[in-house]
Amino acid sequence: MRWLTRFFARQPAAVAQSDVLPADVLAALEAANIIPRVGAHAADTESETGGETRAIIMLPGRRGFRFDGETGARALRSAFPELNDAQVARGVRFLSARAAIAAQDKEAWLNAEPEPPKWSDWKPLPRW
């Protein structure tokens, strides 16, 4: 009869590593300040990193760091030691996407055409 209990006994379910970020970590990553490097620095960064987006990222309450895959993972592990490998990888992908969007926004802002003057900007000529 002992074999019956072993056979029908419930096996503990294997706990899969979830890559879902906790709410507090996600809020911190969304609140991170991102300073992209574009424009004059683009030639320097492309030769060093192979065209990867370079940015300075400052997590709330922490120092800024120059973002790439390794430093991003290291910074997330030091800021949030409770994260597993899958969560750290997802956090790095999230920060990478935010850095790319910030770089695109800054590039678009730098390359924008200045607006022509409007009638409300008119000023009379100075008198001599």
Side-chain angles (χ1 to χ4, degrees):
M1 286 303 226
R2 188 160 198 126
W3 65 273
L4 273 174
T5 57
R6 266 195 239 148
F7 184 73
F8 289 109
R10 282 197 123 160
Q11 299 294 326
V15 178
Q17 279 193 348
S18 174
D19 67 342
V20 177
L21 292 170
D24 58 337
V25 175
L26 190 59
L29 295 181
E30 287 175 350
N33 188 15
I34 298 176
I35 304 168
R37 293 187 68 190
V38 296
H41 303 291
D44 300 338
T45 59
E46 284 182 17
S47 63
E48 293 173 8
T49 63
E52 234 177 82
T53 301
R54 294 267 304 260
I56 304 295
I57 296 182
M58 290 180 276
L59 294 173
R62 303 200 76 30
R63 279 184 171 188
F65 61 94
R66 193 162 68 182
F67 179 76
D68 62 16
E70 294 174 9
T71 58
R74 197 173 336 136
L76 284 180
R77 285 194 192 286
S78 69
F80 307 104
E82 70 274 7
L83 298 180
N84 60 34
D85 292 338
Q87 290 171 327
V88 168
R90 186 171 186 168
V92 169
R93 286 193 314 265
F94 182 75
L95 286 176
S96 177
R98 285 206 52 215
I101 290 170
Q104 287 174 353
D105 290 348
K106 187 169 183 179
E107 190 71 37
W109 179 77
L110 289 173
N111 294 333
E113 294 288 327
E115 290 186 17
K118 298 185 175 17
W119 66 269
S120 60
D121 297 333
W122 179 84
K123 293 179 184 164
L125 293 173
R127 292 189 182 202
W128 296 96

